[in-house]
Amino acid sequence: MTVKPIKTKKEYQQAMERLEVLFDAKKGTPEGDELEVLSILIEKYEDEHVDIGFPDPIEAIKFRMEQLGYNQADLANVVGLKSRASEILNKKRKLSLEMIRQLHEKLHIPTDVLIQPY
């Protein structure tokens, strides 16, 4: 195991490839230790060099609905009407301030994500 800071995009790609190889390593083994250190180095590089940004608000709603096992009728209970939920999910209706508040309160989606343009 050679441990060194990740400084370039090429080194980052190599680290990601190595991470994939080590992904299922058992804790407490040399490979497990390498996985842990490599993960920390990758995270540090990403924090400094990779701008991930916020997800699309509608995709965030769909993802959260999937996590919670919600369907369109459940979303309608949050935003008011079934037709409104359909329009939102199909990006035919913009989220209002009140909808954003309800989605944040009931689905726990950060408001910073919901206010993004789409």
Side-chain angles (χ1 to χ4, degrees), residues 11-30:
E11 291 174 343
Y12 172 72
Q13 290 300 326
Q14 291 170 337
M16 293 298 288
E17 289 170 10
R18 181 68 181 151
L19 181 76
E20 193 172 316
V21 170
L22 297 170
F23 194 73
D24 293 322
K26 301 277 188 233
K27 224 175 190 175
T29 65

Side-chain angles (χ1 to χ4, degrees), residues 1 3 18-19 22-23 25-44:
M1 171 172 79
V3 178
R18 181 68 181 151
L19 181 76
L22 297 170
F23 194 73
K26 301 277 188 233
K27 224 175 190 175
T29 65
E31 292 82 14
D33 291 344
E34 183 181 356
L35 174 64
E36 185 176 350
V37 171
L38 191 58
S39 297
I40 293 167
L41 293 171
I42 289 171
E43 182 178 6
K44 183 178 183 329

